[in-house]
Amino acid sequence: MCKREKLEDKYFLLNFDHTFLAASLQEEALLFGADSHAPFLSNTVRQFQAFKPDFTLNHPLDHLSGGENAILAVIFYSALVLHKKKPLHFLLQNILESLSTSNRHALIILLTEYQQQAISYHLLSNNEVISINE
Amino acid sequence: MNSLLQIKPGKLKLKNRPFIFQLDQPLKIASDSGKILLLIKGDNGSGKTTFLEQVIIPHLKQNNILFLFKGQDNHIQSIIDRSLEAIFSISHSGKNLISQVFFNAPAKHPAKKITTPTAEVLLMDETDKLLSSSEFDDIIKNPDYKLLILISHNLDNPEFQQHFNLFPRKYSLTIAGQSAVRTASFTKC
């Protein structure tokens, strides 16, 4: 556990209140130079369908609930990081706190899989940073 | 005892949503001398916020029950608060997390500062996740409101359970399902 200020420059802060820029996942991927046929995008959709079965690539993001939006953001950005092959430390703020118990467990299982692939996740809680493995 | 909520059971139709709610029994809460808690729970995407926005808030408006609403997205809520503060000169209480915007409040002279009356109902959409234990305790001990309606995923957190237990009367509303008909089950705890 350590203070947030010491880590800010090394982390990608994913906050519940600030997730996507674009209106759909497909458009969000375009912003990062990925086309709609990129395998990481179809993986993202497939993984998120475990939480929301009727989700598609063009689903309007503002039709998702707050918690669904938070889950999708974590999955999408994790998959994007692997696609870009650039390791990254994630700082999750109010993401897991926004999920039901079953969804929180399901997402942590997914994050554990991503964590083995050069991504690390940490939780920001009351301005302290906690590793998800602690 | 005054009625704070009295919503009939059955199908509850919604605007701009591909689903409806099926309320299993009357959602009836009357006020007395003690504080009351209504917890709304359910999976992500089940429709908890929609129930608040399209069932509970219209009911409160229709019955002229003064309420205070803190939305789920802190960023958007801050923008709304700032805009309303600029437009109506509504003052903040000093607590950044609780909007001092009262709905159904008499506002004859919007250019002047409004003396805010006591809200009977406080609506919090997952706001508990933004609060420390002591901040949440302050809200619970605030004598002004009668009913706290809280959407929360903190129900299995022992620290928050202690707070919930401070309410003499507790109810829960569980929203379930992902289909075109979502069940809303109301129970007294």
Side-chain angles (χ1 to χ4, degrees):
Chain A
M1 194 185 286
C2 55
K3 287 285 178 194
R4 171 185 174 173
E5 301 81 60
K6 291 181 183 172
L7 299 165
E8 265 181 341
D9 56 339
K10 298 177 189 166
Y11 281 73
F12 167 50
L13 177 64
L14 187 53
N15 185 325
F16 176 87
D17 296 332
H18 303 277
T19 49
F20 296 108
L21 294 171
S24 73
L25 205 58
Q26 188 168 355
E27 290 173 12
E28 188 78 12
L30 281 175
L31 284 172
F32 293 95
D35 66 48
S36 59
H37 303 295
F40 90 93
L41 258 187
S42 50
N43 285 340
T44 299
V45 171
R46 184 177 45 76
Q47 287 181 322
F48 185 58
Q49 281 171 343
F51 298 90
K52 186 172 181 63
D54 62 347
F55 183 77
T56 61
L57 198 54
N58 293 315
H59 195 103
L61 295 175
D62 60 0
H63 287 193
L64 298 175
S65 77
E68 288 172 338
N69 198 69
I71 295 168
L72 181 61
V74 177
I75 297 174
F76 171 76
Y77 288 114
S78 300
L80 181 70
V81 165
L82 290 181
H83 174 70
K84 296 278 183 189
K85 296 187 171 70
K86 288 186 178 175
L88 193 66
H89 301 296
F90 281 74
L91 199 50
L92 307 180
Q93 185 170 29
N94 293 327
I95 299 286
L96 296 184
E97 293 89 336
S98 305
L99 308 186
S100 64
T101 307
S102 60
N103 281 346
R104 197 180 307 152
H105 289 158
L107 186 63
I108 287 173
I109 290 169
L110 254 186
L111 299 191
T112 309
E113 289 173 18
Y114 276 121
Q115 223 166 207
Q116 293 162 4
Q117 302 175 66
I119 296 180
S120 72
Y121 299 96
H122 306 264
L123 309 179
L124 180 59
S125 179
N126 287 332
N127 236 23
E128 296 282 347
V129 177
I130 307 161
S131 166
I132 209 163
N133 283 333
E134 282 175 16
Chain B
M1 291 203 298
N2 293 328
S3 174
L4 293 171
L5 284 178
Q6 193 161 11
I7 297 166
K8 290 179 183 169
K11 291 184 170 66
L12 304 172
K13 290 183 180 169
L14 308 167
K15 288 177 191 166
N16 304 319
R17 293 288 187 278
F19 59 87
I20 60 166
F21 291 119
Q22 176 76 42
L23 180 61
D24 67 335
Q25 59 173 302
L27 203 173
K28 196 173 174 183
I29 297 179
S31 70
D32 57 16
S33 55
K35 263 200 166 55
I36 310 158
L37 172 68
L38 170 61
L39 280 170
I40 301 181
K41 49 194 180 177
D43 236 338
N44 301 106
S46 59
K48 300 181 294 299
T49 300
T50 299
F51 197 94
L52 208 59
E53 291 171 345
Q54 294 208 28
V55 179
I56 289 179
I57 289 178
H59 177 84
L60 295 173
K61 284 172 71 178
Q62 196 178 0
N63 291 284
N64 289 320
I65 293 171
L66 201 59
F67 64 96
L68 204 155
F69 178 40
K70 171 64 187 161
Q72 187 181 24
D73 188 312
N74 201 38
H75 177 63
I76 292 173
Q77 182 74 48
S78 317
I79 294 168
I80 293 169
D81 289 353
R82 217 170 52 208
S83 306
L84 287 169
E85 188 178 357
I87 295 165
F88 297 112
S89 298
I90 293 170
S91 65
H92 281 257
S93 66
K95 282 184 183 298
N96 291 328
L97 292 166
I98 294 297
S99 164
Q100 188 77 343
V101 177
F102 283 81
F103 294 83
N104 288 342
K108 290 178 184 168
H109 306 289
K112 293 182 181 175
K113 283 216 167 194
I114 295 166
T115 306
T116 51
T118 303
E120 290 177 275
V121 180
L122 176 58
L123 306 170
M124 290 169 60
D125 188 353
E126 295 188 22
T127 317
D128 52 338
K129 74 186 174 195
L130 303 171
L131 302 172
S132 68
S133 182
S134 66
E135 284 170 327
F136 194 60
D137 199 45
D138 286 345
I139 288 172
I140 287 170
K141 288 176 181 160
N142 182 331
D144 292 341
Y145 66 90
K146 295 172 183 167
L147 168 65
L148 171 62
I149 301 179
L150 175 68
I151 296 179
S152 177
H153 291 299
N154 251 326
L155 306 177
D156 48 4
N157 179 336
E159 202 170 7
F160 276 82
Q161 275 174 0
Q162 284 178 8
H163 295 309
F164 298 152
N165 289 336
L166 293 174
F167 288 84
R169 201 144 48 100
K170 293 188 286 290
Y171 299 89
S172 76
L173 182 76
T174 306
I175 315 257
Q178 291 266 350
S179 62
V181 180
R182 314 279 168 95
T183 57
S185 310
F186 179 60
T187 50
K188 187 171 184 180
C189 304

